[in-house]
Amino acid sequence: MAATAAIQLNNRFSVVPPEFYGKGCSMQFRSGARRCRSSKILAAALLSTREVVLGNSCTTSYADFTSELHYSRATIARDVTELTASGCAFKRTKQSKYATAFEFDTKHGLPVYHFLRTETFNGIRLTGNDVLFASNVIRHYLNVSREQKYFIGGEKRVSSFLGVATSTAHGVIYRTMKAGIIRRFVMHDGKLDTGKGINKDYQTVYVIDDEILKRVKAIRKEISRQNAEKEAVKSLFTVKAEPKRADEQQNRRAGVHYDKYALPEYKFQKLEVAFSSDKIYQDIRQRYLQLKTVWFDKLKKQDFDSADELEDELNDVADELKRYLQSRGASLEDIPINIWEYIK
């Protein structure tokens, strides 16, 4: 009976430690300066959660991955291969058996709910990044001791949390709103109105749909009922407040001096001038822009699975551009980490 309850529990959620989406100093989940794919993050979360809940003797087949996360076998095969590569996050102990190779911070991890990925909402299936974002907003509203009543953010906050480009964050927000998972408002003087924030006095607020929040609460209530005696499971839902972000505008108001020559946009402008006649640089740059056009087209057509694959290609081309710049003498300090934001 206990084993059955544990399996039902695992079918409902996974926990994503901060290291999995590029936070902290875990290099197993980073590729250069960028975070790894969302499908890989969710696959890792499934494996680590199953180990915590079911024990390290449990088996996880490809059928488990596909039924829980709704990714193709090819995607799962690629992600599992990378996750179990030498020096990575997991060890394959036997066929379909995996064990974590490192200790992860599951206590402060992000609970993600599998129905957000496996079901469709208004005809839309959420991507991995969409699920991570929605789960983060859900966590905010389920934290009864939160300081802020509403989840205040915008594209920059979503981009920072997910570790992705602002353009990717824009797509995440668009899809979750169109799917009816998230609603967006503008807050002024503590009151909500329809619209989008424009500054610190008119802030963007995201609210989770009531039905989604009720469903998650019901899941958590059932989990608590089935596992009231398991402190280890309870601790998976411990909420840790996100650190407050002091952005450039806020620091300027506080009198913090900024050297414009150290800003990433200025660094990119210098590179653009220096490599304006470099054919290889221009070819890679043009390839990135062409891929980005196709990516936007896929988003408009709501072909989100293809868009996810193209996003990986875009990241690869951006990394190729960085490597070429380094090979031609540009230092890492002179190359913006988020160079993709400035290629236009």
Side-chain angles (χ1 to χ4, degrees):
M1 182 66 182
T4 302
I7 291 171
Q8 290 173 347
L9 165 63
N10 190 68
N11 285 343
R12 292 188 177 96
F13 79 97
S14 293
V15 174
V16 184
E19 300 96 331
F20 285 16
Y21 47 91
K23 308 300 180 183
C25 55
S26 177
M27 298 308 295
Q28 287 77 25
F29 290 87
R30 298 195 69 84
S31 176
R34 63 182 174 87
R35 189 211 71 181
C36 66
R37 296 181 301 275
S38 57
S39 62
K40 184 175 174 180
I41 292 172
L42 294 181
L46 180 65
L47 285 177
S48 63
T49 303
R50 285 178 72 88
E51 183 176 20
V52 170
V53 176
L54 302 177
N56 57 16
S57 62
C58 75
T59 60
T60 307
S61 67
Y62 277 20
D64 291 324
F65 281 109
T66 54
S67 65
E68 295 283 353
L69 304 177
H70 205 273
Y71 287 115
S72 68
R73 288 180 66 89
T75 298
I76 293 301
R78 176 186 61 180
D79 292 338
V80 170
T81 298
E82 292 180 7
L83 287 169
T84 55
S86 177
C88 202
F90 295 88
K91 298 175 182 177
R92 193 192 301 265
T93 57
K94 292 181 180 179
Q95 184 175 353
S96 298
K97 288 190 177 183
Y98 307 90
T100 54
F102 300 91
E103 187 174 328
F104 299 117
D105 184 13
T106 55
K107 181 179 179 180
H108 299 119
L110 173 70
V112 297
Y113 303 91
H114 294 181
F115 77 88
L116 291 171
R117 170 65 192 158
T118 58
E119 298 178 16
T120 57
F121 304 90
N122 291 338
I124 294 173
R125 190 180 304 282
L126 301 181
T127 67
N129 281 330
D130 300 344
V131 171
L132 290 170
F133 166 57
S135 296
N136 190 41
V137 182
I138 288 170
R139 174 171 63 174
H140 174 85
Y141 285 107
L142 292 183
N143 179 9
V144 294
S145 61
R146 64 184 184 271
E147 294 181 8
Q148 292 182 336
K149 180 178 180 180
Y150 297 110
F151 186 99
I152 299 172
E155 290 182 2
K156 286 187 177 179
R157 181 178 181 184
V158 177
S159 170
S160 174
F161 166 71
L162 291 175
V164 297
T166 306
S167 57
T168 301
H170 175 82
V172 168
I173 295 165
Y174 167 79
R175 279 190 300 276
T176 50
M177 288 175 58
K178 192 171 180 64
I181 302 293
I182 300 283
R183 289 181 290 157
R184 183 175 65 191
F185 299 92
V186 59
M187 184 171 69
H188 178 59
D189 290 337
K191 297 179 181 179
L192 297 186
D193 200 354
T194 56
K196 178 182 177 182
I198 55 174
N199 55 36
K200 72 179 185 67
D201 295 317
Y202 291 82
Q203 296 177 306
T204 297
V205 165
Y206 297 118
V207 176
I208 289 289
D209 176 74
D210 287 342
E211 292 303 313
I212 296 295
L213 206 56
K214 285 179 184 177
R215 186 167 175 181
V216 172
K217 286 179 178 178
I219 290 171
R220 292 175 60 130
K221 183 177 181 180
E222 180 64 12
I223 290 169
S224 296
R225 186 189 70 79
Q226 291 179 349
N227 300 277
E229 76 285 0
K230 294 185 178 180
E231 291 298 323
V233 174
K234 286 183 184 178
S235 70
L236 292 175
F237 288 95
T238 302
V239 176
K240 180 182 180 182
E242 284 190 60
K244 294 182 179 179
R245 182 177 61 84
D247 61 22
E248 179 184 332
Q249 189 177 22
Q250 290 171 325
N251 283 333
R252 280 174 174 165
R253 290 196 186 98
V256 177
H257 175 68
Y258 272 85
D259 178 6
K260 75 169 187 177
Y261 300 107
L263 296 176
E265 56 264 36
Y266 184 84
K267 292 179 178 180
F268 184 73
Q269 289 171 11
K270 282 183 64 179
L271 291 172
E272 285 279 84
V273 172
F275 288 84
S276 59
S277 58
D278 188 303
K279 186 177 184 306
I280 297 177
Y281 173 84
Q282 295 301 329
D283 285 347
I284 300 173
R285 187 182 186 282
Q286 191 59 34
R287 187 150 38 96
Y288 182 90
L289 290 173
Q290 289 170 348
L291 271 173
K292 193 171 184 179
T293 300
V294 179
W295 176 70
F296 270 122
D297 185 56
K298 295 296 183 184
L299 285 179
K300 289 176 184 176
K301 293 178 179 177
Q302 298 186 21
D303 184 358
F304 300 128
D305 287 336
S306 297
D308 259 5
E309 293 294 328
L310 283 169
E311 189 176 316
D312 290 340
E313 290 186 48
L314 280 169
N315 289 331
D316 289 340
V317 176
D319 283 348
E320 181 184 346
L321 191 65
K322 287 182 181 180
R323 290 193 298 270
Y324 180 72
L325 289 170
Q326 284 183 267
S327 73
R328 299 295 294 170
S331 67
L332 275 175
E333 291 76 16
D334 292 331
I335 303 173
I337 292 175
N338 53 340
I339 193 171
W340 53 81
E341 291 189 22
Y342 306 103
I343 305 174
K344 298 176 182 177

